[in-house]
Amino acid sequence: MHVCEQGRKELHPGDMVVLRPGAWHAYERCKGLMLTNLSIARFAVSVSEGALTTYPSLRELLWTRPSAAGGHGVHVTSIPASTANDISDLVLELRETLEQQPANGVLIMGRLLTVLGVLVADLNTPMDSTLHHRAVNTVVTALVESPEYHWSLNELANRVSLSPSYLSRLVRDHTGAAPLQLLAQIRAERAAALLIQTEEAVAKVGARVGWSDPAYFSRRFKEVLGVSPSEHRRRFRSTAGSIEVPDTSIASTRVQPIEVGSTSK
């Protein structure tokens, strides 16, 4: 049984859970549950999320669907059980490649894209040939690199020499969110990680990501992730003892938090 802000869902072979960073989820009645886990976050240094979401189908899978209104960073879908088994084998190959020394960055990214390609092939996601507009990449990079900065739509538009209205439409078309909505998503995800990884006060975490007013931080965080910052921290800590977290972010285990994964028989 998978549990998140959207409710509870019985899992079956081939079910896939896609999580944005910081999204809360858990499992109940886990006896016999097997998961294949793939954390995209560990590849952030080698390839930006913007580069991955250049492809419409990957953008839909990794960003648009889990970031949709009411999703709170979680999207549950399914692929054929046979595809899930293929994914498990490909993830194991990727893990073996990651463990090789010296690391072969090109081979690692090739295997990662192969895994993602097999995933989206069976999702019935609309495909088109439109790549990210250069201005969208510039804006997304700026927001990801400096979410704490007090960005305005006008400043972002000036940076790429476009009108604010046109830039807003471009960013929405490519990411599913307007620029300042995207900024709120990035800030909330960054804050969610800090709340789990540090002992800093909630107000200080908010200030670090660009929300200096504690009440406003709490409200915006809840709008994005569905829970208050304090509740988010409490939930992750209360479930940490019952969830096995592996040393690597790519593994097959009985129960563990996942960012992109598929259940297998």
Side-chain angles (χ1 to χ4, degrees):
M1 180 74 71
H2 180 257
V3 185
C4 66
E5 289 300 320
Q6 301 173 32
R8 289 171 165 78
K9 175 180 171 56
E10 194 77 34
L11 293 177
H12 304 282
D15 282 351
M16 181 169 66
V17 180
V18 183
L19 304 176
R20 293 297 305 162
W24 179 85
H25 77 141
Y27 297 96
E28 295 178 346
R29 304 200 304 255
C30 301
K31 185 177 180 180
L33 178 64
M34 294 292 291
L35 299 173
T36 296
N37 176 62
L38 174 60
S39 172
I40 304 298
R42 75 166 298 170
F43 299 96
V45 174
S46 301
V47 60
S48 69
E49 183 172 50
L52 286 177
T53 56
T54 292
Y55 304 96
S57 52
L58 289 181
R59 182 170 70 243
E60 183 81 5
L61 175 67
L62 300 177
W63 182 275
T64 307
R65 292 189 182 186
S67 298
H72 302 304
V74 181
H75 174 63
V76 181
T77 184
S78 64
I79 55 179
S82 59
T83 302
N85 291 332
D86 292 341
I87 291 295
S88 295
D89 293 339
L90 290 170
V91 168
L92 288 175
E93 291 179 5
L94 177 55
R95 180 181 182 180
E96 292 171 357
T97 304
L98 284 166
E99 293 173 347
Q100 294 175 2
Q101 295 297 330
N104 185 330
V106 174
L107 182 58
I108 289 171
M109 295 315 304
R111 291 198 185 283
L112 172 63
L113 291 174
T114 298
V115 172
L116 294 175
V118 173
L119 279 177
V120 300
D122 286 309
L123 286 177
N124 295 319
T125 304
M127 298 287 288
D128 65 56
S129 59
T130 304
L131 298 182
H132 260 321
H133 193 288
R134 182 176 298 177
V136 177
N137 282 331
T138 298
V139 168
V140 171
T141 298
L143 297 179
V144 169
E145 290 182 350
S146 302
E148 73 285 352
Y149 183 75
H150 297 292
W151 294 103
S152 69
L153 180 57
N154 285 337
E155 183 173 358
L156 291 169
N158 289 335
R159 177 173 285 228
V160 293
S161 301
L162 295 174
S163 71
S165 60
Y166 182 55
L167 174 64
S168 185
R169 186 165 66 252
L170 270 180
V171 174
R172 185 184 295 276
D173 287 346
H174 285 84
T175 69
L180 298 186
Q181 292 174 321
L182 181 61
L183 175 61
Q185 179 83 29
I186 293 168
R187 284 178 172 177
E189 292 174 355
R190 190 73 55 86
L194 290 171
L195 288 167
I196 299 168
Q197 297 167 0
T198 74
E199 298 294 331
E200 292 182 356
V202 170
K204 186 174 181 180
V205 169
R208 282 186 62 179
V209 301
W211 285 320
S212 57
D213 181 282
Y216 186 69
F217 165 47
S218 182
R219 179 161 62 86
R220 295 308 304 275
F221 186 94
K222 188 171 183 178
E223 287 175 357
V224 175
L225 296 180
V227 294
S228 68
S230 298
E231 177 66 9
H232 174 81
R233 173 175 273 172
R234 186 195 68 78
R235 285 188 177 187
F236 267 95
R237 290 182 175 177
S238 66
T239 57
S242 61
I243 297 178
E244 178 186 352
V245 181
D247 292 334
T248 71
S249 55
I250 295 182
S252 295
T253 119
R254 285 285 174 183
V255 183
Q256 64 184 40
I258 62 176
E259 293 195 18
V260 178
S262 58
T263 63
S264 57
K265 294 180 180 179

